[in-house]
Structure formats: C-alpha cells, structure tokens
Amino acid sequence: MIIEAATLPADTELTADVCIIGAGPAGLTVAQQLISSGLDVVVLESGEEDYDERTQALAGATLVGDGFRFNGAELDVAQTRLRQLGGTSNHWTGQCRPLDAHDFDQRDAVANSGWPFGADELAPHYKRAVTSCQLAVNEWAPTWWHDHTGAPILVDTDTVTTSVFQFSAPTRFGPELKPALAAAKHVRVVLGATALELQVTPDGSRVQAVTVSTLDGQHSSVKPGVVVVATGGIEPARLLLLSNGVNPAGLGNDHDVVGRYFMEHPHAIAGRARFVPSADLSFSVIGGRTIPGAGDRLVWAGLSPTAKAQADAGIGHGVALMFGAGGGSPREDREQATVPADAVDQLVTLGAGTASAPVLTVRVEQEPNPDNRVTLGDDLDGLGQRRAVVTWRMHPPDWHTVRTTIELIADALGRAGLARIEIDPSGKPIEEWPVEIGNHHMGTTRMHADPAHGVVDAQCQVHGIDNLYVCGSSVFPTSGMANPTLTIVALAHRLADHLRREVRRR
Ligand SMILES: Cc1cc2nc3c(=O)[nH]c(=O)nc-3n(C[C@H](O)[C@H](O)[C@H](O)COP(=O)(O)OP(=O)(O)OC[C@H]3O[C@@H](n4cnc5c(N)ncnc54)[C@H](O)[C@@H]3O)c2cc1C
C-alpha cells in the first residue's frame, strides 16, 4: 500500500515489525525482499513520486574542502542526491561492477582497510543484485567477455588487467518496484514522511520510536520492531547524530566514528593515449555488445593495476576509463562520456595519428580518512533539523594512487607495443587539475567488528543497539573502484535475509 503522510491524522502512531527509512535502491530492495516474509513493513520516504523542490532542499548541506565537481560544474551536496521515491536511482547512470575480492582485504597499502568478511560472503547476493539492477549476466572476468562476446582484451598481465563494467537499464527502483509494493498486504510505503529522530530507550539499547514529519510540519511516529536506515551515504550519519536524546554524541557514536571516513570516487584526467593503428579499442569505449541470451547491452572495459601490482606499489585500487577523442582539450574530451559505436573506427584512426587521442580518466579508491567526515552544522533545514557539514579533501595517498595507476597502465601499454601515454596531458601535473567526483557517497557509518573502529557490525547492525541497522554505501569500510550501487543492492538482499530470520526470532 502507498500512503501519503499528509493524509494521516496528526500524531498517528504506526507500528511495524520492520521500519525502513529511505526508499532508494537500498530501502526498496529490503522492502521488496520482505513482501512475502509475513513481517509488517513500513517504509518512510521523505520524497514523493515526483521531484519536489521543497523536499529536495532538505538534502542541502555545507561542503568544506575540495568541492564536488562533476562534468565541469561545481555541485551542491543536494545536487548529488534525490529525495524522491526510488531515491537517486531516478537519475543514476547505471554503471555497475561488483567489488573485487581484494577490495575486502585488510591491505598494508591502504590505512583503515578491511571488511569484516570476504568476497565469498557477498557472492550469492551479488547474483541477486544483478537481477535487481537488470544487468545481462553475473559475469565479470575479461576472458568470459572475450569468449562469449568477442570483446577484444587490450591488456591482461600480472600488473594490469581489464575491468569490465555493465550498464543497468538504468533501473529506476521507484517505478520498477512500486506496483509490487503497492499490492503487498503487509507493506506500507509512506511518502512525504521525513524521519526526524530515532528515539531510544533510556539505556540507549533499543529504538522505541521513529519520529516523522511532513513538509508542513505535521508529526507522526512509528513504533518499530527493528529499524533499517537506508538514506544514502551522508544522511544515515546525519540521522544518527541528530538522534541525541539519550547520548548527546548521537546514536552508535560512543567512539566518535559516526560521520567519519567519508569517501568519494575521485576522477582525474591523468593521461592521453596514442594507440597503434592495430589496437582494437572497441571494448574500451562505452558501446553495445551482443550478449548470448540477453541481446545488445552497453558495456565498458577499463584498465586496472592488479591486486599484486597495487600491493607492490603501495596504492589503493584504481581504474583508467577511456573517453573519446574529440580533438579538443582533455576537458572537452572528458565530457564526451559516450562514444557511439560507429565512432570507434574513427577513434582507432585518431589514436594512431596526429591530432588527438583518447583521454584516460583515472578513478581511484580513496583511503578511508577520519578527517573526511559528516558533522552537524548550525544551519537548519525546512523542518528545523541541523544540516550536515561534509568535509571532503583529496589526501596524499589518494594522489599517489592516481599517479601510480596511470604510470602502471602506461608501462603495460608501452610494453605491449600498443600505445604511448602522455601523463599530465594538460601540461601541468595531474594534481593541479580539479578532481571530479563520482556522486558516490560512502563510509560514514562504516562496518567493523570492533565498535571502536566501526559503527555497524558485519550484519549492518549498529553496535550496542539491538534493533537498529544501516543499509547502503555508508557502511562500506573501503570502496574499491567499482560504482557502489550493485554492492549496495547486494547488501540489501543480504540484510533482508538476516531480518527474515532475526525478526521472527525476537
Ligand atoms: C548523477 C549520478 C549518477 C550516478 N551514477 C551511478 C552509476 O552509474 N553507478 C552507480 O553504482 N551509482 C551511481 N550513482 C549513485 C547511486 O545513485 C547511489 O549509489 C544509489 O542511488 C544509492 O542508493 P541508496 O538507496 O543507498 O540511496 P538513495 O538513492 O540516495 O536513496 C535514499 C532515499 O532516502 C530518502 N531519505 C533521505 N533522508 C530521509 C529521511 N530523513 N527520512 C526519510 N527518507 C529519507 C531519500 O529521499 C531517498 O529516496 C549516481 C549518482 C548520481 C547523482
């Protein structure tokens, strides 16, 4: 059932076995997976089905540090998220890839790295996430793509490998899942319902109420069995910090970890390639491939240092993605994000020649740094809630990963006789170019088995609070270089399984 919060009588108290806050890919996947569980589910979504300016303004935050630059424009934090049924999937690009196995490891090269579980734990859930994100196949090995689609693999050596990305439809989780949720007997999706605070018992061990407001300030509440906070990568930390009725530091924040270790995926224009004419770049630019049983789908292959090369070089995970050759400045080339299939021949020709060549944009994993963080500021939003302050900067290990990634790739392409890479293509050091973001917010309620180092445990449960979970990229301890949504949806599937078992037992 879909309900408008504004139609509920003032001070309504709903009860639910599971109260999910946020109806983006994370929250809606959990809700969908619980439809047949018999559990009574309430989903609180701040937005409506359609975009609404006043609601969107609730996502406004102050940005401190390096700025959020995307496609050449400086963005406000609110421009990087959508408050609407379906969340930010209403305008995501749909680029997908799971994390690599070593992304889960504790790595000497990356301070504060290590998930509490390995890749095997998420593998079955990635399979389900591939279906949820409407991808063609759960296959990522370059050899599979070569064997099944004829994709030419540029490089696959001990130091540099090919990393395959698939594109989702892109799936709009709101329109996609709304019919099933509207028809579900035990699910109520409440729109225009912004969660204001999680009220806990006097000993702080359980959430006993979620207070809610409409845009016009009409209040209601939910009495939850368990609560799942699925409000993206920044807002979960904000909600925990705002919920300071018992612990002035906020919920789950006994060790001052809530909000810390915020990560983005920095993108830097790092190189320009001159390829030999025989180099087949058709898998290296975004383009259609015919996939057995799934028809034509958009795919894209980048080049990445292998896990061993990363460890040897003391860097995090990075990938170089190729953008088309327009004959203009690297900036203009970067903006040609999609190269039509028939431009590939031209690209190869240009690569051999004189005027211009593909630009290599390096996207890197950021080292989790406690100084990159979300805190509460003094500005208030339209509901009188303190807005978030997001402090985000590139730190030396991040630039080290950018530069070393492009150097390793340049070396591998050169050794293979495929290309020469001009590093620092603008004529000044990469580090002096403004870095761009990926619109990927991660890490602010990180997962760690030890409450001193993480906000949630391996099951995404907030340490010390019996019935409070977080689902989304805020729980990522590290980010790898893959876009986050496939992993978010995999974690949502896994959490739904856990809740189906746990909530029954309570
Ligand atoms: C331009 C752009 C392109 C992107 N492209 C890609 C891509 O190619 N690949 C990729 O993997 N990712 C991409 N992303 C990121 C992707 O959109 C997010 O990873 C994904 O949407 C996160 O899902 P989520 O459910 O965790 O959060 P969101 O989608 O942000 O949803 C959170 C929901 O919570 C609601 N909410 C927030 N606060 C409250 C509150 N207090 N009470 C009630 N509800 C609340 C919001 O209204 C929203 O509906 C892109 C993002 C942008 C902006």
Side-chain angles (χ1 to χ4, degrees):
M1 188 191 305
I2 311 283
I3 304 170
E4 277 295 333
T7 64
L8 295 172
D11 300 321
T12 295
E13 187 186 275
L14 302 171
T15 56
D17 295 321
V18 180
C19 173
I20 300 167
I21 305 173
L28 288 183
T29 300
V30 176
Q32 180 214 27
Q33 291 300 305
L34 294 180
I35 284 178
S36 57
S37 67
L39 296 170
D40 201 21
V41 176
V42 165
V43 182
L44 299 172
E45 168 52 47
S46 180
E48 302 288 340
E49 273 193 73
D50 295 323
Y51 180 85
D52 171 75
E53 202 70 54
R54 270 178 76 206
T55 311
Q56 185 62 28
L58 297 174
T62 304
L63 192 54
V64 175
D66 285 348
F68 279 0
R69 197 177 153 88
F70 187 63
N71 281 344
E74 294 290 338
L75 301 185
D76 298 332
V77 174
Q79 288 172 289
T80 63
R81 279 300 169 269
L82 278 178
R83 286 226 177 184
Q84 194 179 338
L85 180 67
T88 315
S89 75
N90 286 292
H91 71 182
W92 74 314
T93 313
Q95 190 183 348
C96 288
R97 178 178 169 80
L99 294 173
D100 284 72
H102 72 283
D103 291 330
F104 293 89
D105 294 344
Q106 193 282 317
R107 288 163 286 158
D108 292 344
V110 182
N112 306 307
S113 60
W115 289 57
F117 50 75
D120 286 355
E121 174 66 25
L122 269 198
H125 307 293
Y126 271 129
K127 199 171 163 198
R128 299 157 77 190
V130 159
T131 304
S132 298
C133 293
Q134 299 174 311
L135 302 181
V137 282
N138 186 30
E139 299 289 350
W140 306 95
T143 45
W144 187 94
W145 286 86
H146 177 71
D147 294 348
H148 290 80
T149 74
I153 304 303
L154 264 186
V155 186
D156 196 13
T157 69
D158 282 352
T159 52
V160 171
T161 187
T162 294
S163 297
V164 179
F165 294 83
Q166 295 184 59
F167 283 82
S168 162
T171 307
R172 310 289 180 214
F173 281 77
E176 198 61 40
L177 298 185
K178 184 188 156 198
L181 294 169
K185 210 167 149 198
H186 299 293
V187 179
R188 285 165 287 172
V189 178
V190 190
L191 298 176
T194 302
L196 299 178
E197 189 184 351
L198 309 174
Q199 292 183 341
V200 289
T201 49
D203 66 358
S205 68
R206 282 186 70 77
V207 180
Q208 54 187 1
V210 180
T211 59
V212 177
S213 179
T214 64
L215 258 190
D216 292 326
Q218 180 174 303
H219 284 204
S220 54
S221 64
V222 181
K223 198 172 164 205
V226 302
V227 177
V228 177
V229 178
T231 51
I234 291 173
E235 294 293 328
R238 180 183 176 208
L239 187 58
L240 293 186
L241 294 171
L242 285 170
S243 301
N244 58 2
V246 168
N247 183 347
L251 293 184
N253 202 21
D254 292 351
H255 300 277
D256 189 24
V257 184
V258 171
R260 292 191 184 271
Y261 303 98
F262 174 74
M263 298 169 287
E264 247 289 350
H265 274 137
H267 288 62
I269 297 169
R272 186 193 286 268
R274 311 266 166 189
F275 279 94
V276 297
S278 58
D280 184 345
L281 303 182
S282 60
F283 199 31
S284 306
V285 292
I286 298 173
R289 291 251 137 221
T290 305
I291 298 164
D296 281 354
R297 299 297 191 94
L298 276 187
V299 290
W300 199 12
L303 298 175
S304 318
T306 58
K308 180 175 181 319
Q310 289 169 41
D312 290 348
I315 57 171
H317 204 164
V319 61
L321 296 163
M322 214 176 281
F323 288 85
S329 68
R331 161 83 271 124
E332 287 159 1
D333 286 346
R334 166 69 178 80
E335 281 158 9
Q336 293 186 6
T338 306
V339 180
D342 63 4
V344 170
D345 289 345
Q346 188 200 358
L347 185 66
V348 175
T349 313
L350 284 170
T354 49
S356 178
V359 166
L360 296 173
T361 291
V362 167
R363 174 202 293 172
V364 294
E365 168 178 44
Q366 259 198 304
E367 184 167 274
N369 185 316
D371 294 335
N372 282 340
R373 62 186 298 201
V374 171
T375 51
L376 295 179
D378 294 329
D379 281 359
L380 303 182
D381 69 13
L383 299 177
Q385 301 276 91
R386 291 173 71 187
R387 290 192 186 276
V389 176
V390 180
T391 303
W392 180 71
R393 290 188 176 85
M394 287 286 282
H395 289 273
D398 307 327
W399 282 120
H400 178 54
T401 298
V402 171
R403 181 164 287 281
T404 310
T405 297
I406 193 67
E407 286 173 355
L408 287 167
I409 289 164
D411 186 61
L413 288 171
R415 279 175 197 276
L418 284 167
R420 290 284 177 270
I421 306 292
E422 181 191 353
I423 297 178
D424 300 324
S426 70
K428 49 181 182 175
I430 311 169
E431 294 82 350
E432 290 178 18
W433 273 72
V435 74
E436 299 224 334
I437 55 159
N439 292 300
H440 305 159
H441 305 158
M442 302 166 287
T444 60
T445 63
R446 70 195 324 250
M447 193 191 292
H448 200 287
D450 180 348
H453 300 293
V455 177
V456 301
D457 67 14
Q459 296 299 341
C460 297
Q461 184 186 327
V462 175
H463 284 292
I465 305 183
D466 273 355
N467 63 340
L468 180 57
Y469 294 82
V470 181
C471 187
S473 47
S474 64
V475 307
F476 292 9
T478 54
S479 71
M481 57 70 176
N483 309 60
T485 308
L486 193 67
T487 302
I488 293 170
V489 174
L491 285 169
H493 278 283
R494 179 173 175 268
L495 179 58
D497 287 357
H498 176 77
L499 294 178
R500 219 180 281 121
R501 289 189 302 267
E502 275 305 301
V503 181
R504 283 198 190 297
R505 206 174 292 154
R506 282 160 197 260

